[in-house]
Amino acid sequence: MDLTTLALIILVPVLVWRVYSRVASRMARQRSIVSRHYTGLLTFFAMVAVPATELSDPLTLAALGGGLLAGLALGVYGLRITRFEQTEEGCFFTPNARLGILVAMALVARVLYLGALIYANKGSNLPTPKLTDSPLTMLTVGLTAGYFWMYSAGLLRWRMKIRKQIGTF
């Protein structure tokens, strides 16, 4: 076992813990900022649109679409179990932490798997896998993008409803 492999074995759990703690901190009560919701819409749309333009394999494209549909459905469910608050300090929401962490960590796990696969193939004659090569990867990309896109759209809808009620955004 060389030094690089040993370093990866030590650093991957630290990386997973840091990503988990970052995602978990974002799943707490937070202020609703409209510009972030618009950014979420654009980012998660691009997360599906960019790979979809590159895909030529029907199975991989279907996996991306299936993951997207499942993510949209989970997003609707996530919005139903979200706690919304309108206070004098502003608008706040508290997402369901378990659901958000589960969706985000599914993508993180898949990206880490691809990283391990690329590292394992280093120095061999095997081709380096791309993000868009695997239907399972595209399924997790679609799931994550669909969930967070729907969540951003739902938060914007909630803010629009408040704006109509009180006359300010």
Side-chain angles (χ1 to χ4, degrees):
M1 184 176 312
D2 64 346
L3 186 60
T4 307
T5 305
L6 187 59
L8 283 176
I9 290 172
I10 293 169
L11 289 177
V12 165
V14 172
L15 177 66
V16 169
W17 172 74
R18 285 299 305 144
V19 170
Y20 173 82
S21 62
R22 174 80 174 144
V23 170
S25 71
R26 299 302 308 156
M27 296 296 153
R29 180 179 185 255
Q30 52 192 299
R31 180 180 296 274
S32 174
I33 301 171
V34 174
S35 62
R36 285 187 185 172
H37 306 324
Y38 279 116
T39 302
L41 283 177
L42 292 173
T43 301
F44 295 113
F45 172 77
M47 197 170 155
V48 171
V50 170
T53 60
E54 186 180 313
L55 295 175
S56 58
D57 179 30
L59 179 62
T60 309
L61 191 58
L64 179 64
L68 180 63
L69 290 175
L72 292 172
L74 276 176
V76 169
Y77 174 69
L79 286 165
R80 286 186 183 170
I81 58 177
T82 296
R83 189 175 59 218
F84 297 99
E85 301 173 53
Q86 185 179 351
T87 66
E88 291 183 13
E89 293 90 31
C91 297
F92 295 88
F93 65 98
T94 307
N96 182 277
R98 288 183 178 149
L99 186 58
I101 291 170
L102 177 71
V103 171
M105 292 307 287
L107 181 64
V108 168
R110 189 63 190 169
V111 170
L112 284 175
Y113 171 77
L114 278 175
L117 194 62
I118 290 169
Y119 178 75
N121 290 347
K122 183 180 73 169
S124 70
N125 291 332
L126 296 172
T128 303
K130 295 188 320 186
L131 185 69
T132 57
D133 285 347
S134 169
L136 185 57
T137 303
M138 288 294 95
L139 180 78
T140 57
V141 166
L143 180 75
T144 305
Y147 175 79
F148 288 109
W149 185 91
M150 180 58 75
Y151 209 87
S152 295
L155 291 172
L156 275 174
R157 193 170 138 231
W158 169 60
R159 290 299 301 268
M160 296 291 181
K161 190 186 324 179
I162 291 172
R163 184 176 128 187
K164 287 181 182 178
Q165 290 173 353
I166 62 174
T168 182
F169 204 43

